[in-house]
Amino acid sequence: MEKEKIFFTMLMAIFSFFIMVERSNAQNPTIMVRIMETTDLHARMLGYDYETKKKTVEYGLEWTSSHIKNSRLEFPNTLLFDVGDAIVGNALAKYSFLSYLFNWMDVHPVYKVMNEMKYDAATVGNHEFNYGLDFLTASLSGADFPFVNANIYLEDGNYYAGDDINFFNPYLILNKQFVDSEGRKHTVKVGVMGLITPIAAIWDREYFNGKLKIKNMRQTAEHFVPIMKNQGADIIVVLAHAGLTADEGLKKKKWGNSVYSLSQVKGIDAILYGHSHSLFPNKSDPQTLYGMNHSKGTINEVAAVQAGYWGNHLGMIDLQLKKAGEDWVVFNCQSTVQPIFRTVKQRKIPILPKDPLVMKIIKNDHHRILNYIK
Ligand SMILES: [Zn+2]
């Protein structure tokens, strides 16, 4: 009799414990957001080498696109960003510039593809400036998604910083409808800021001198992050066209102009970066600095990812959000770089079939280029 009583009491305790857990889950829903990154595409829309005239499975946005679409099917809450160096680097890029000069470019072929892929936002890389500001402006006008950059300013000829004018929109706050772990919808405010390594102003000085100047990345972030927070950003994502460490050519101006330095700015939740064509996280990377975690994909505890180049990897940051008062805050993260091919017995095999939509969009341009190369 006594045993039965104990058993019954225990059963009740377990039962009420589960009800409690259930209730607290309902009161504390979580949101999982997958943030996806492409970077340094260098006009590789297709897995095609215009020099050897051969198809390849090793790069090309037509391969990466399938991974993006897969993630969108798998997860209800996703974001897609590009981190720059998209429009310069191969015959497609040269052809686009020539067609602009001859006045028959409507939308830049790279942005034709990216428009269809529904990017949430993008930033510019140093190579975006290679063909000059007029071509850049004309190209960007064909993109259906917004561009952000916070540290390129108009050269205004005075030393007073208070009247400086941004060349691009420095940041934006996206109101995203996300679904929580209980299936309920919430509006999450995603702040997105863009930054570029100041080396762009040195490498393309003919387009910068007297027209544009690039400010320190870290100081710019320290200026804008609190502004974005004040405007209600729940999470802050930085699109940084800069390497983990600063460019050698910056000499004495290296401080603050690296992703590593950016990771020390308070309030940033995720850094998507590019420029140096490397991978992060990457356990076999010898370039590991203090505070870098290649298992989780964090730098000084900030989620970070770098997706290689030419679309050979899709960068992904999975952020877990929970409610803190009225705001959504990050309580866990995991970064991954997903390759588009694997090598088995020295053969390169694509992981997913290519997305035929990409070729469909730029088929005419592609054939014109093949003629132009001839
Ligand atoms: Zn670059």
Side-chain angles (χ1 to χ4, degrees):
M1 193 62 199
E2 198 56 26
K3 264 186 189 167
E4 268 173 34
K5 217 176 183 177
I6 293 169
F7 177 73
F8 186 71
T9 321
M10 272 173 66
L11 205 68
M12 285 305 287
I14 291 168
F15 187 63
S16 51
F17 172 74
F18 277 112
I19 285 185
M20 246 169 62
V21 169
E22 183 66 31
R23 267 196 204 138
S24 74
N25 273 348
Q27 282 160 4
N28 300 309
T30 57
I31 290 178
M32 203 292 265
V33 190
R34 169 159 291 185
I35 305 173
M36 296 182 280
E37 178 208 35
T38 58
T39 187
D40 299 86
L41 291 172
H42 289 283
R44 265 57 173 204
M45 297 298 98
L46 301 172
Y48 188 83
D49 184 338
Y50 289 100
E51 271 163 36
T52 61
K53 297 193 181 65
K54 279 190 180 128
K55 287 183 186 174
T56 174
V57 303
E58 290 176 55
Y59 58 79
L61 194 58
E62 61 182 345
W63 297 106
T64 341
S65 174
S66 300
H67 292 269
I68 293 165
K69 286 182 172 172
N70 241 22
S71 271
R72 282 174 172 159
L73 289 175
E74 200 177 336
F75 300 99
N77 312 316
T78 60
L79 291 159
L80 176 62
F81 299 111
D82 183 74
V83 183
D85 280 4
I87 59 170
V88 169
N90 67 357
L92 175 74
K94 278 180 208 149
Y95 154 86
S96 306
F97 180 53
L98 283 177
S99 62
Y100 162 77
L101 290 181
F102 290 112
N103 238 332
W104 36 270
M105 181 182 83
D106 50 357
V107 176
H108 192 293
V110 166
Y111 296 142
K112 262 187 224 168
V113 175
M114 290 173 77
N115 284 347
E116 287 304 314
M117 288 172 62
K118 308 282 172 232
Y119 277 81
D120 287 280
T123 195
V124 288
N126 52 296
H127 282 289
E128 259 69 62
F129 294 89
N130 291 171
Y131 292 136
L133 297 182
D134 292 343
F135 176 68
L136 176 59
T137 313
S139 301
L140 294 184
S141 69
D144 290 344
F145 48 92
F147 277 79
V148 282
N149 172 282
N151 67 332
I152 304 175
Y153 285 80
L154 297 176
E155 183 57 79
D156 64 359
N158 70 38
Y159 289 104
Y160 176 57
D163 66 352
D164 285 354
I165 300 164
N166 279 93
F167 185 56
F168 293 94
N169 191 11
Y171 64 88
L172 53 102
I173 294 172
L174 304 167
N175 289 306
K176 296 299 288 190
Q177 286 285 318
F178 287 153
V179 181
D180 72 13
S181 47
E182 307 287 307
R184 278 185 293 252
K185 281 185 184 161
H186 301 272
T187 302
V188 176
K189 288 179 181 287
V190 182
V192 187
M193 177 176 44
L195 291 167
I196 190 170
T197 162
I199 202 77
I202 298 169
W203 287 347
D204 273 314
R205 51 167 71 81
E206 60 173 307
Y207 305 121
F208 278 86
N209 277 359
K211 294 180 197 111
L212 301 174
K213 58 184 173 190
I214 304 184
K215 291 194 187 181
N216 185 278
M217 287 171 45
R218 181 168 175 167
Q219 286 168 344
T220 305
E222 282 167 346
H223 172 74
F224 280 110
V225 168
I227 294 174
M228 292 160 82
K229 280 278 166 206
N230 268 340
Q231 290 182 5
D234 291 297
I235 59 171
I236 290 183
V237 179
V238 175
L239 314 180
H241 192 88
L244 175 71
T245 54
D247 288 291
E248 282 303 319
L250 289 173
K251 295 181 184 143
K252 282 179 184 165
K253 286 186 180 171
K254 281 189 190 171
W255 183 89
N257 288 312
S258 68
V259 164
Y260 188 81
S261 188
L262 212 52
S263 71
Q264 294 166 324
V265 175
K266 219 175 144 248
I268 296 174
D269 296 294
I271 304 174
L272 314 184
Y273 66 106
H275 185 56
S276 52
H277 291 203
S278 312
L279 291 175
F280 181 79
N282 177 11
K283 282 181 183 158
S284 57
D285 189 358
Q287 198 187 23
T288 291
L289 306 174
Y290 178 79
M292 283 175 82
N293 181 336
H294 284 279
S295 306
K296 237 177 135 165
T298 54
I299 304 171
N300 295 315
E301 274 155 41
V302 178
V305 78
Q306 184 181 18
Y309 59 98
W310 301 1
N312 63 0
H313 290 76
L314 176 65
M316 298 182 285
I317 295 177
D318 291 343
L319 288 184
Q320 301 277 355
L321 313 180
K322 65 175 182 189
K323 198 107 205 225
E326 283 305 296
D327 306 326
W328 289 95
V329 294
V330 176
F331 74 92
N332 205 357
C333 64
Q334 177 65 56
S335 309
T336 327
V337 277
Q338 161 82 69
I340 59 166
F341 71 91
R342 56 168 76 87
T343 311
V344 183
K345 289 179 188 158
Q346 292 171 337
R347 268 196 63 211
K348 297 195 164 72
I349 301 163
I351 290 165
L352 290 176
K354 65 173 96 164
D355 178 359
L357 180 69
V358 178
M359 179 53 116
K360 210 179 143 197
I361 298 165
I362 58 163
K363 203 174 173 181
N364 290 340
D365 297 304
H366 179 63
H367 288 298
R368 274 194 213 127
I369 296 159
L370 294 180
N371 281 331
Y372 152 79
I373 297 173
K374 258 189 227 161

